[in-house]
Amino acid sequence: MNKRAFALFMVVGLVFGGGAAFAQFSAEVALDQTTVELFRDSLDIIWLALGAALVLFMQAGFAMVETGLTRAKNAGNIIMKNLMDAAAGLIMYFCIGWGIMYGASIGGFFGSDGFFLAYPGVDAMHEVYIDWMFQAVFAATAATIVSGAMAERTQFRGYLVYSIVITALIYPVVGHWTWGGGWLDQLGFTDFAGSTIVHSTGGWAALAGAIVLGARKGKYVKSNGRTTVKALPGHNIPLAALGVFVLWFGWFGFNGGSTLSGVDSDIAVVFVTTALAAAGGAVGAMTLSWVLFGKPDVSMSLNGVLAGLVGITAGPDVIAPGWSIVVGIIAGLLVVLSVEVLDKKFHVDDPVGAISVHGVCGAWGTLAVGIFGGGALFVQVVGVVAVFAWTMITAFILFGILKAVRMLRVTEQEELQGLDISEHGMESYGGFQIFSNM
Amino acid sequence: MNKRAFALFMVVGLVFGGGAAFAQFSAEVALDQTTVELFRDSLDIIWLALGAALVLFMQAGFAMVETGLTRAKNAGNIIMKNLMDAAAGLIMYFCIGWGIMYGASIGGFFGSDGFFLAYPGVDAMHEVYIDWMFQAVFAATAATIVSGAMAERTQFRGYLVYSIVITALIYPVVGHWTWGGGWLDQLGFTDFAGSTIVHSTGGWAALAGAIVLGARKGKYVKSNGRTTVKALPGHNIPLAALGVFVLWFGWFGFNGGSTLSGVDSDIAVVFVTTALAAAGGAVGAMTLSWVLFGKPDVSMSLNGVLAGLVGITAGPDVIAPGWSIVVGIIAGLLVVLSVEVLDKKFHVDDPVGAISVHGVCGAWGTLAVGIFGGGALFVQVVGVVAVFAWTMITAFILFGILKAVRMLRVTEQEELQGLDISEHGMESYGGFQIFSNM
Amino acid sequence: MNKRAFALFMVVGLVFGGGAAFAQFSAEVALDQTTVELFRDSLDIIWLALGAALVLFMQAGFAMVETGLTRAKNAGNIIMKNLMDAAAGLIMYFCIGWGIMYGASIGGFFGSDGFFLAYPGVDAMHEVYIDWMFQAVFAATAATIVSGAMAERTQFRGYLVYSIVITALIYPVVGHWTWGGGWLDQLGFTDFAGSTIVHSTGGWAALAGAIVLGARKGKYVKSNGRTTVKALPGHNIPLAALGVFVLWFGWFGFNGGSTLSGVDSDIAVVFVTTALAAAGGAVGAMTLSWVLFGKPDVSMSLNGVLAGLVGITAGPDVIAPGWSIVVGIIAGLLVVLSVEVLDKKFHVDDPVGAISVHGVCGAWGTLAVGIFGGGALFVQVVGVVAVFAWTMITAFILFGILKAVRMLRVTEQEELQGLDISEHGMESYGGFQIFSNM
Amino acid sequence: MKLITAYIQPHRLTSVKEELFKAEVFRMSVTNALGCGRQKGYTESYRGVVTEVNLLKKTRIDIGVNDEFVDKTVDAIIRGARTGEIGDGKIFITPLEECIRIRSGERGAEAIG
Amino acid sequence: MKLITAYIQPHRLTSVKEELFKAEVFRMSVTNALGCGRQKGYTESYRGVVTEVNLLKKTRIDIGVNDEFVDKTVDAIIRGARTGEIGDGKIFITPLEECIRIRSGERGAEAIG
Amino acid sequence: MKLITAYIQPHRLTSVKEELFKAEVFRMSVTNALGCGRQKGYTESYRGVVTEVNLLKKTRIDIGVNDEFVDKTVDAIIRGARTGEIGDGKIFITPLEECIRIRSGERGAEAIG
Ligand SMILES: Nc1ncnc2c1ncn2[C@@H]1O[C@H](COP(=O)(O)OP(=O)(O)O)[C@@H](O)[C@H]1O
Ligand SMILES: Nc1ncnc2c1ncn2[C@@H]1O[C@H](COP(=O)(O)OP(=O)(O)O)[C@@H](O)[C@H]1O
Ligand SMILES: Nc1ncnc2c1ncn2[C@@H]1O[C@H](COP(=O)(O)OP(=O)(O)O)[C@@H](O)[C@H]1O
């Protein structure tokens, strides 16, 4: 009988016996060690489950931020890429990624079993399941960071290949080195919820992608030997803002869930520092954009929130609330400077600022643990550099191959027309009149 | 004194007594059976409460999906319908629905007491309350499915009547047969979180509605005896995508909460299969749309996510993660095929694909428990057929009456003008220039 | 070693030892008083943490509602204001607000320590942290209410000053009088989750702001000595609707979390009354708008949901579910009447209805506890009046000073151009063609 | 050469296009417009404030044609757009002195087709 | 018959319409346009990149009138649109050879009103 | 005076504007339009239903000029818009009888610049 039928019985109970307690709530529980473990397990499962749901919801945030900060003619395409990062990512992490990340270690470099969550002989599979769940959404997060930096010019099928490779290989290897107990972990590298492990991995892959891909047409215009940097404004700032709020919300699952236990009083400080660093990031980015450009820039301030969040992610449990504001503000300043330098100096075209938010502020956050949180700064540097090197090399190879086989970039004609029409044969804003002269 | 005042006392305590523990946390708890039950109850309440909040949030998802996939001129109207599904639905389920679903059974067909949550003599009403809360949002979900299929041409007042009838009668009767301990439950029918009970009920009511209502003007154009099928593209794909992500997020409450207890290690597997089936659905629908139409279709892939979710809903606790991917992929294929057949062959006009997603994939999910989850396939078939018959008959009668009294469909002129203007006297996108030649 | 490495060990354990339990779950727990307190603390922390996350997410709801109900040319500006309410608000509440609200009381009027969360000598800081977290998001909520009423004409830098003052001073003082154990609390004033304390404070500050600021150009047009009231329609109703659903979702954290404990069976009734009052509000506002204007108004019905939620917030734990519907319906009627009167009679220009939703329905909710929930009606009236007086006086002074130093209102030219261009130098809907003749 | 400008009801665009194709007029430019004519507007009400909307959505079609095509084109537009109700719209004809195809630089009668 | 085309500041549309109504001109078509004239643009900055915006939002009004109405109409537009500041806009007058009411087929002077 | 109306590919607007500036034509009005010409459309498919899109996005430029500017202006537009591919667009020239600057009331040749 379905458990929901309890109400029926309750009523029957009321009628015949008067005030019987409800089945669902009154089941006898023996008062012993087992019960204690049951409660502890339940608190852990609930906490990780909700954390995983929140992190998965961050996909919506990424999708909205990236859509909002790019042009209307590519909106459907960027959404497809985000959707497939999540969908293909979860499946690949199930089949391969998890095994590489947490399987029996080969020399501290990568794992080698647990593929397809096959653990013959294990009974308490719920413990594997809940942990996989929480880890899988992190893999999907690392994957989805890249789509923004490569937006408006990447072929969909090429992007699919990338999605698969990062969730099956690039990210899990980084994960194995660290959370999987590999060599970086043994050095004492500390990264609570993944400033480097998740965000920098995504951010550096985005950097490699943006470089190999080249800028959007019309972004850097050469005339008379001089290059002028043009703005290609996003088409929907309210949507981008919504995305940022969704990410902020989801980040409580990202950082909060990373206690990996619901019975951990660190949850309190993690929430406080996560909230305050985000606030600091917004204030920092707004202020600097005001100083530099004469007006407080909306999309930069939104990036500032994310910068603050990425910045605190490595040490939300060990950085004091007051310092977390400082970490956030610095991240907010960094993201503005980094966007400026990448755009105006290096002419790396990152439509949404993903490299600056996730790559640069991810590195900053990892170092911040050393500075404000008592971690060994040198080991943190080693971790940042190692992840940078691994990701850049593998991502360059990946995108290089895709480029060579002509699966990376759409044609100029397709880019002009917009990827919604050329890649998916549709328009995202049917009926709206949109100026398409860019 | 308000509990929040504890901080004050803490500080006073610090000053005078030094380091007193906080009131909120340190209340003495006797270590006995009562405590154990208290914790268990608390875990259950928290879990169901959060689950209910997540399921209610799915209303936002439905509203965004349906708005995004229909035309700009009807956006405000579809939102009103969704809003009223939730608002009127909750109130009706409080007054009548719950009593019919979980009241003392009359022959296994419907319940007969507990209306208005009146349980004279019961003390522990919190147990009724939390269970009602979780069940009520399910009723509102069943109701809201229909608005998408009947979008862009249904009168608002007719729709209100429908909202009331489904949450007060049609859905609760199905619920009584199954979760309420009625005849289907006694046969051994199993449907964990409602593939059939919630989604098919909504889906088949949508089918009846779409048939009685007829297609939108301009959807099937007859000329020279041949009917051409036209596309009436949705106006806001990013919003539809956001809706899908919101639904995915909320579904963790839908399936996860359906353990009905926070002390249940099945939560782990439920989360994993829910996530993976959705991923499978997206991949399945994307792939098939690519094969069939030459390009990966965005709105179909989004439907694929929902198809996968509906598909796993009957058995997320008993279908293994690997198989859940398969269940999801099949649901993703089915949704594309079903949309094709309904649209091109039967000319049933379902603007958002609600019939295919909820009706067809709901049936598939219910059978999938029999196939992959060890349920009795025959009983599952009986359940699917019974719910189909009940819903189709009652919904046909309901919509037939509404049609007879001219409360079902707006006039052609109103349809052309858009329901925002004709039904609500306003425009949803004030100031935007929108081509209205459809 | 990072806790995430457990999987590795589990597998190793499997291979070598066979079926060892997982590190994360199996840690030995002593079965004594400490354990009981640990669980109780954990449930409290989890509950308050999730509640805080949900309340912070309400910022997204406010941002979307306010953006949707104002014009496209000001969309980026309103978002910046909402963002800064949250960001600056959290930081100010950390530095100053919390100390004033919960610090050692000076005569029951304001607190005097705990600034910067400095509690020298306290060990169990997690208890302070989690409580601060939950309180801080309430302060940010009170702040953000005002932006809607002052939308489309307020200078950004003036608004920043306001944000700081309300979160550092105006709201914390109200909070001290009540939740902080001050004079109103001692009188027996009861306001469970803040109908008056949070919402009316925000609402009355909004009233003062809207009065001092004056109406938007073109809202009340004088010709031949007669004033005509014009509609300045919002530009994005679907976004506003999304915002309302997000707020409804977040409100479960707002009211639910206000039990301040996860071990409290009142959570059940709080969820039920919160859901039903919102439903009642929607139905009430829709019906009255239908009667008054001839058609059911979409944005009024959306306001109705919020009105119902604000209305129940003072007593969701003591008002019975049936009565909560009534409280909601009355709030829904009130919000429509109040908008009508403020707009057409007093010519107070509140673009989103914030004064009516939060101020008026906040007062109603506070009285409703006296009427339906057994509170002392007279004391409730005293509380409503006291908070009204304090907020109006301080807000008038604040906005008066801002006006005097020319930091309050943008120039007419800037208002016509839109604040996105004049204050931030950007457009929110790049590429969209938008009629700007208003 | 003449320039024919028609304001029609938006939902008649498809049938106007069909009639034009039948009349072998394949070139045109379409914009959307708001029109104020005999057709009375409607009232909208937003948050209880009633507004007269008397600028109604119209679709504007511009077609440059050679003189001998004028009647054919006008007739086709009328066939496609007429419903007999107020609001059907208007056709304006202005003289067109020159027409140039950007791609080839052709001018006049050859360029227009 | 003449076709009068005016480009005005968007926020003057309401007063132009009022003046036209007073002058008993009830028919018109409105589109939105971007204009480039004497009025200097402004700079926008998006993510730190400065852009010159020199296509400013304008509203275009087209009115077909009989010859005797030309001056009245032009004057009404000027009254409604003039602020004396750069950017007020321009009025263009082109010859209108024919005007046809789609609904009735009427032509010329009767059709225009 | 003449009124020059050009339909061009949207993405050529920037270069057309540059060429016009070089030719010292600083005044213009721009609207967006949908065009149907030689250029074949493309098919969209929405939820499996294929639709022919043969109204393609175009940008329309209107420029009122004095007679001696006509050739300069036309040439500048052609230089900026021509890619040699179908879809480059068309230029139409109509007579312009009068031009009035709203701000100052100036008329004719002086008003146009
Ligand atoms: N004199 C005019 N000048 C400019 N546009 C006009 C004129 N007369 C009509 N129109 C356009 O034609 C549309 C239809 O005109 P209307 O008078 O409503 O149609 P009908 O002639 O069928 O009654 C108007 O909305 C307007 O856009
Ligand atoms: N020669 C022209 N051709 C086409 N449009 C023009 C021309 N001159 C002005 N306009 C339109 O009129 C608008 C106002 O012109 P502008 O020169 O700014 O006004 P003012 O004459 O008051 O200085 C321009 O933005 C443009 O849309
Ligand atoms: N006779 C015409 N009347 C109105 N607009 C036209 C006409 N011919 C072309 N156009 C406009 O010019 C655009 C380009 O025309 P098209 O024939 O595609 O270019 P091309 O001459 O380079 O082949 C069309 O999309 C349409 O907007």
Side-chain angles (χ1 to χ4, degrees), chain D residues 7 34-39 56 58 85-90 92, chain E residues 27-29 62-65 101-103 111-113:
Chain D
Y7 294 93
L34 297 178
C36 191
R38 290 240 169 134
Q39 191 184 10
L56 302 172
K58 298 285 165 186
E85 277 169 51
I86 281 184
D88 276 359
K90 292 258 174 81
F92 297 108
Chain E
R27 315 274 177 266
M28 74 193 78
S29 297
D62 284 274
I63 313 176
V65 293
R101 167 167 289 136
I102 292 175
R103 175 167 45 92
I112 217 158

Side-chain angles (χ1 to χ4, degrees), chain A residues 218-221 227-231 343-345 347, chain E residues 49-51:
Chain A
K219 176 68 188 150
Y220 305 109
V221 181
T227 304
T228 325
V229 178
K230 301 263 179 178
D343 189 21
K344 295 195 182 148
K345 196 157 172 63
H347 297 165
Chain E
V49 181
V50 174
T51 324

Side-chain angles (χ1 to χ4, degrees), chain A residues 224-263:
Chain A
N224 313 331
R226 283 208 317 131
T227 304
T228 325
V229 178
K230 301 263 179 178
L232 299 177
H235 81 282
N236 203 329
I237 299 297
L239 222 51
L242 176 64
V244 166
F245 280 115
V246 168
L247 284 165
W248 195 347
F249 176 53
W251 226 286
F252 287 111
F254 200 92
N255 285 358
S258 291
T259 58
L260 300 181
S261 166
V263 188

Side-chain angles (χ1 to χ4, degrees), chain C residues 20 31 103-104 112 115 120 147 158 211 254 340 358 412:
Chain C
L31 180 66
S112 61
F115 302 108
S147 53
I211 292 172
F254 199 92
E340 282 288 281
H358 300 278
E412 193 180 308

Side-chain angles (χ1 to χ4, degrees), chain C residues 41-415:
Chain C
D41 279 20
S42 295
L43 281 163
D44 288 351
I45 290 178
I46 285 182
W47 189 242
L48 284 177
L50 292 172
L54 282 166
V55 178
L56 186 72
F57 191 43
M58 287 170 66
Q59 295 286 336
F62 281 108
M64 295 303 110
V65 168
E66 295 175 11
T67 307
L69 295 184
T70 53
R71 286 167 295 175
K73 64 181 175 185
N74 301 312
N77 178 262
I78 195 94
I79 275 165
M80 273 299 263
K81 286 175 181 160
N82 274 279
L83 184 65
M84 281 302 138
D85 277 324
L90 287 174
I91 294 177
M92 290 317 296
Y93 194 74
F94 173 78
C95 299
I96 301 177
W98 165 266
I100 291 186
M101 190 152 166
Y102 288 113
S105 188
I106 308 283
F109 290 104
F110 52 92
S112 61
D113 60 7
F115 302 108
F116 298 91
L117 293 192
Y119 290 102
V122 176
D123 268 349
M125 279 304 288
H126 66 273
E127 308 184 354
V128 181
Y129 286 153
I130 199 66
D131 208 56
W132 178 85
M133 185 73 243
F134 192 68
Q135 299 298 325
V137 290
F138 276 61
T141 303
T144 210
I145 288 166
V146 176
S147 53
M150 297 177 69
E152 309 203 86
R153 57 209 193 278
T154 309
Q155 283 187 43
F156 182 60
R157 48 195 196 128
Y159 192 81
L160 272 186
V161 173
Y162 148 79
S163 279
I164 289 172
V165 174
I166 194 168
T167 46
L169 187 74
I170 299 178
Y171 168 75
V173 167
V174 172
H176 186 79
W177 294 357
T178 49
W179 292 334
W183 68 275
L184 270 172
D185 185 50
Q186 271 146 31
L187 276 186
F189 178 73
T190 161
D191 185 358
F192 184 72
S195 278
T196 281
I197 302 171
V198 180
H199 292 282
S200 286
T201 300
W204 303 139
L207 176 57
I211 292 172
V212 178
L213 195 53
R216 289 168 293 172
K217 200 179 144 49
K219 176 67 189 152
Y220 305 110
V221 181
K222 280 207 190 83
S223 60
N224 313 330
R226 284 208 318 130
T227 304
T228 325
V229 178
K230 302 263 177 177
L232 299 178
H235 81 282
N236 203 328
I237 298 298
L239 222 51
L242 176 64
V244 167
F245 281 116
V246 168
L247 284 165
W248 195 346
F249 176 53
W251 225 286
F252 287 112
F254 199 92
N255 285 359
S258 291
T259 58
L260 300 181
S261 165
V263 187
D264 186 335
S265 60
D266 275 357
I267 292 169
V269 73
V270 167
F271 267 63
V272 172
T273 53
T274 299
L276 284 175
V283 170
M286 181 199 73
T287 309
L288 186 57
S289 76
W290 207 333
V291 170
L292 290 183
F293 319 140
K295 302 204 164 178
D297 189 88
V298 181
S299 78
M300 282 292 192
S301 308
L302 293 169
N303 270 173
V305 174
L306 305 185
L309 289 165
V310 171
I312 197 63
T313 290
D317 56 334
V318 291
I319 296 174
W323 287 118
S324 74
I325 300 178
V326 175
V327 169
I329 289 175
I330 294 175
L333 303 177
L334 272 178
V335 80
V336 174
L337 292 174
S338 166
V339 164
E340 282 288 281
V341 170
L342 277 176
D343 190 21
K344 295 194 183 147
K345 196 155 172 61
F346 294 114
H347 297 166
V348 172
D349 184 16
D350 176 358
V352 310
I355 302 164
S356 304
V357 166
H358 300 278
V360 174
C361 293
W364 156 243
T366 312
L367 303 181
V369 184
I371 301 168
F372 302 102
L377 191 53
F378 175 71
V379 180
Q380 299 300 93
V381 173
V382 171
V384 166
V385 172
V387 170
F388 178 80
W390 161 256
T391 308
M392 286 300 273
I393 291 168
T394 48
F396 262 120
I397 294 173
L398 167 64
F399 291 122
I401 294 174
L402 286 173
K403 189 171 187 174
V405 299
R406 303 195 170 287
M407 277 173 69
L408 193 60
R409 188 161 179 148
V410 298
T411 66
E412 193 180 308
Q413 174 62 23
E414 288 170 333
E415 192 178 339

Side-chain angles (χ1 to χ4, degrees), chain E residues 7 34-39 56 58 85-90 92, chain F residues 3 27-29 62-65 101-103 111-113:
Chain E
Y7 294 93
L34 297 179
C36 190
R38 288 240 172 133
Q39 191 185 12
L56 301 174
K58 298 284 165 188
E85 276 170 50
I86 282 185
D88 276 359
K90 292 258 174 80
F92 296 107
Chain F
L3 183 63
R27 315 275 176 264
M28 75 190 79
S29 298
D62 284 275
I63 312 176
V65 292
R101 167 167 291 136
I102 292 175
R103 174 167 46 92
I112 216 157

Side-chain angles (χ1 to χ4, degrees), chain F residues 1-74:
Chain F
M1 292 175 293
K2 303 290 173 200
L3 183 63
I4 300 175
T5 303
Y7 294 94
I8 60 164
Q9 295 279 32
H11 59 272
R12 305 301 299 176
L13 178 60
T14 317
S15 61
V16 168
K17 259 175 57 191
E18 275 169 22
E19 293 295 338
L20 285 169
F21 283 7
K22 281 191 210 151
E24 305 201 319
V25 178
F26 301 112
R27 315 275 176 264
M28 75 190 79
S29 298
V30 177
T31 38
N32 58 8
L34 297 178
C36 190
R38 289 239 169 134
Q39 190 185 12
K40 276 193 52 188
Y42 56 90
T43 52
E44 289 191 1
S45 121
Y46 176 76
R47 298 179 71 75
V49 181
V50 174
T51 325
E52 271 294 333
V53 178
N54 47 24
L55 285 175
L56 302 173
K57 286 184 178 143
K58 297 285 165 188
T59 293
R60 169 183 167 144
I61 307 177
D62 284 275
I63 312 176
V65 292
N66 287 316
D67 294 340
E68 62 272 23
F69 264 79
V70 172
D71 289 343
K72 257 168 106 168
T73 308
V74 167

